[in-house]
Amino acid sequence: AIQQLCAQTSFGFLLGFSANIVVKDPLENNEPAPQIRPGIQLGVPIEIRLNKWFALQPELLFATHGAFQDKESSDALTTKSFYRTIYMSSLEVPVLAKLMIGSGNVRLSAFAGPSIGVGLAGKLYTKTFLSIRYLIGNVIFAETFESTQQLAFLTTGYDNNELKNNDFAVERLNLNLHLGIGVQVKTGPLSLFMDGRLMLGLNDLDPESSTETTNATLKSVRGGLNVGVLVPVY
């Protein structure tokens, strides 16, 4: 039985790119909507074939989350611009159920499953610019304000004293749902694969302190395209 299980188990490596956004709801007055920020994915999938049609695929995945906001406005006397970007890296463990379709050396798959992630590092960068000019067009004041906040991975109910050096609080754990489709091509003992997946954040990444509450929620949404290889265990 152990030999049969090993014959149906493959280890691999995947590399991918992602389009990331952190959805904020609701937005503050005049706050620009978040936009897509690119990211990367690196992972080690383990495919366990249960039969010809079904497989389980747990993974160890290094992934990124993030978004940016950008806005500029001007009138006869002032020009204002605002830019903000948030970046977070995490280590995730998805557990995917795969349906395999086809026969021979080329097979299609559809998969879905949950993942749990732990934040590793990240930052929030904000830059604003303001200029004021006379009606004749000469600028009398212009200044740029910049700030970089490191992410502090905390949970709801944290003490405000845990935030140091103007850190930005983010939930330590991120729960996600992975949905995707893929194609797998067998070349000798190896199998090359490509998959596209949608990764939906299920929990609010904005924790509330023990003394403050916020109405806004932050949820990560990502779309990824990965390529990789699977090597059978004999």
Side-chain angles (χ1 to χ4, degrees), residues 166-201:
N166 196 32
D167 289 345
F168 182 77
V170 173
E171 184 69 35
R172 186 183 303 275
L173 296 180
N174 54 88
L175 306 176
N176 310 277
L177 175 64
H178 289 227
L179 304 168
I181 56 175
V183 59
Q184 194 165 307
V185 180
K186 186 173 179 60
T187 58
L190 305 180
S191 292
L192 305 178
F193 70 87
M194 180 173 65
D195 73 53
R197 62 180 72 181
L198 177 65
M199 295 156 283
L200 302 174

Side-chain angles (χ1 to χ4, degrees), residues 65-227:
H65 307 250
F68 76 89
Q69 296 168 284
D70 195 9
K71 182 179 181 179
E72 182 173 331
S73 61
S74 62
D75 55 32
L77 298 178
T78 62
T79 296
K80 301 177 183 179
S81 66
F82 171 84
Y83 176 82
R84 175 185 289 159
T85 182
I86 185 171
Y87 166 86
M88 181 180 80
S89 61
S90 67
L91 192 63
E92 297 183 28
V93 180
V95 180
L96 309 175
K98 293 176 65 176
L99 170 65
M100 313 290 290
I101 304 171
S103 59
N105 293 331
V106 180
R107 306 196 73 188
L108 303 178
S109 65
F111 56 86
S115 80
I116 182 169
V118 179
L120 299 177
K123 66 180 182 179
L124 177 70
Y125 171 76
T126 304
K127 179 179 180 180
T128 59
F129 171 77
L130 171 65
S131 71
I132 303 174
R133 56 186 175 272
Y134 290 118
L135 286 175
I136 60 176
N138 294 330
V139 174
I140 60 174
F141 174 84
E143 190 163 356
T144 299
F145 306 88
E146 294 182 89
S147 69
T148 300
Q149 298 170 268
Q150 301 299 318
L151 300 190
F153 296 104
L154 303 170
T155 58
T156 293
Y158 68 88
D159 190 320
N160 286 323
N161 292 327
E162 296 181 70
L163 285 178
K164 301 176 181 179
N165 302 319
N166 196 32
D167 289 345
F168 182 77
V170 173
E171 184 69 35
R172 186 183 303 275
L173 296 180
N174 54 88
L175 306 176
N176 310 277
L177 175 64
H178 289 227
L179 304 168
I181 56 175
V183 59
Q184 194 165 307
V185 180
K186 186 173 179 60
T187 58
L190 305 180
S191 292
L192 305 178
F193 70 87
M194 180 173 65
D195 73 53
R197 62 180 72 181
L198 177 65
M199 295 156 283
L200 302 174
L202 302 179
N203 66 314
D204 183 7
L205 296 178
D206 183 14
E208 296 181 351
S209 73
S210 57
T211 57
E212 297 176 345
T213 59
T214 59
N215 295 323
T217 61
L218 299 176
K219 291 190 176 181
S220 174
V221 178
R222 297 167 289 158
L225 181 64
N226 306 304
V227 295

